[in-house]
Amino acid sequence: MRTQVAIIGGGPSGLLLSQLLHKAGIDTVVLERRSRDYVLSRVRAGVLEWGTVEMLREAGVGARMDAEGFPHDGTYLATRNQGFRIDFQERTGKKVMVYGQTEVTRDLYDAREAADGKVIHEAEGVTLHDAKSDAPFVTYMKDGTEHRIDCDYIAGCDGYHGPSRQSIPSTVLREFERVYPFGWLGVLSETPPVSEELIYAQHTRGFALCSMRNANLSRYYLQVPLSDKIDAWSDAAFWDELKRRIPEDAADSIITDKLIEKSIAPLRSYVAEPMTWGRLFLVGDAAHIVPPTGAKGLNLAVSDVHYLYHALVQHYAGDDEGIATYSDKALARVWKSERFSWSMTTMLHNFPERSAFEQKMQEAELDYLRMSDAAQTALAENYVGLPY
Ligand code: RFL
Ligand code: PHB
């Protein structure tokens, strides 16, 4: 088989790239290791920057998001008894959209299917070849047979554990990493959200987040030690701990029920440079990970797609400037989102090894944010998304 762009990974970045390129008349094949149902069962991001919203509209997959998503003009930051609201709209003229990654991915699969797009599920042993040459190709196994796809370019949209980044020689790749000494226990509950807007809560027992998917589906998170086992968290223990960490009025009014999903995710910051190697481009989680506190992971994947999509369209129109600058442009934005996610994480979590001095610094930072218009504007500007 031959295609113009072989895309490895059928998560949001691979599917969005393929959909945008299709609309521009560029042929792609998406290779996904998992089944469609498995990909759609993963509960992940919930907050879309406005740039992401506009990219999804541009790709022709915005209709359901516009009908069912919830635009949010602000968010709450809370300590146990002193919450305050940051108004994004007032401070930046922008807002965010609450619409789950699962729904984004479903809309993209539907669009690819409607356009007869080639998305190959359960592709095993995907291997990249000759990315440094002018004739790269990808091989994979499907139903016991080996297949080969020749292409002009390879887009590595295969997440943190995929083969794309690993195919770049270690002499070329530079990695930057911070691993945090805690994780997030995330749950879904078929109950109305406790608040119309998200609540990011700092507490001496650990961080908590109240988020949502729709009017009857709430998403809550607790900071937990990495050593915690998911089975040791009963539903009752989860609700009790959440109530201890969020503001009292929220704790008093929260509606609790049986939890329908429970998982623990570790937190890390990670960047791989460069994001281009020969004819291979890394996109999204394949190149970088952020801790979820800033709600940036999916949004960064989408901004990478934006740069790569335009670079490829330019290339097929005879101009390689975008191809040559893809890595630098994407990384400039990646590092700023890394900084924001790291600073939100640092400001809001409990770090077991923190000194008394560092503890005071954390309190002062949140107190400064509470009283400073400038600090709130800076947070809002980053949260709604920096320009592409
Ligand atoms: P994905 O979604 O990991 O998709 C990669 C795809 O590649 C496939 N794959 C392979 N395919 C073929 N061959 C192989 N050998 C392969 N190996 C892997 C995988 O099966 C998968 O389908 O990466 P992508 O597309 O770059 O998208 C990135 C986002 O998924 C991620 O950044 C966000 O989910 C992060 N994130 C959040 N981001 C936000 O913007 N806002 C949020 O509110 C937010 N909350 C979150 C999050 C991530 C979380 N977890 C669990 C990681 C909350 C959580 C709890
Ligand atoms: C979510 O709804 O899953 C969510 C929201 C905001 C975050 C992280 C996750 O910062």
Side-chain angles (χ1 to χ4, degrees), residues 14-29:
L15 294 170
L16 178 60
L17 180 66
S18 131
Q19 173 68 8
L20 286 164
L21 290 176
H22 160 74
K23 287 184 76 93
I26 298 169
D27 189 59
T28 65
V29 176

Side-chain angles (χ1 to χ4, degrees), residues 43-47 98 100 184 187-188 198 200 207 209-213 218-221 291-296 344 383:
V43 182
R44 289 184 165 184
V47 178
V98 171
W184 276 19
V187 306
L188 272 180
L198 273 66
Y200 288 85
F207 169 76
L209 171 62
C210 304
S211 181
M212 65 206 68
R213 290 293 176 273
S218 299
R219 179 84 166 140
Y220 296 112
Y221 295 97
T293 328
K296 287 287 165 252
M344 285 282 280
Y383 196 91

